[in-house]
Amino acid sequence: QQEIERFVPFCMVGVVGFVVDAGILSLLVHGFELGPLVSRLISFPCAMTVTWYLNRRVTFSHAVSNNPGQEWFRYALVSVVGNLINFIVYIAAIQWSQTMYDYPEIALAIASIVALLSNYLGSSRYAFRQDAG
């Protein structure tokens, strides 16, 4: 029951992270004409930090650490693993589809959905555990 109660806010925070990620990605690709891969390397850490903060305050407020720097690092590790999945799907999509290359936000949406479960499990079981280390 608690897992479901936490999964919903986690998903809502994920939507905010997606908007941050996609917004920065769009700005860099369409506004600054950077490539979609380089743009994603910039947008991802920004979105990750936003989602860490929101998950810390909303989703996992019952389990936050007294050491936010260490907690952020654990969250970053979880995010990197989850986002390796995300990046693989993203890169495959932009390589195999001209439409997704031209509109990388679509590839980002697909990749984000694929990585959602991995990110949730890693966050709930490792990143936001007070005894994790």
Side-chain angles (χ1 to χ4, degrees), residues 7 10-11 14-15 18 40 82-83 85-86 89 105-120:
F7 187 69
F10 184 83
C11 289
V15 168
F18 174 79
R40 189 74 204 288
N83 281 291
I85 297 166
N86 185 306
V89 172
E105 302 85 0
I106 298 168
L108 175 59
I110 293 167
S112 296
I113 291 166
V114 170
L116 175 65
L117 186 58
S118 171
N119 285 332
Y120 176 74

Side-chain angles (χ1 to χ4, degrees), residues 92-111:
I94 64 172
Q95 292 297 316
W96 292 332
S97 169
Q98 184 63 45
T99 299
M100 293 211 197
Y101 186 88
D102 293 339
Y103 300 97
E105 302 85 0
I106 298 168
L108 175 59
I110 293 167

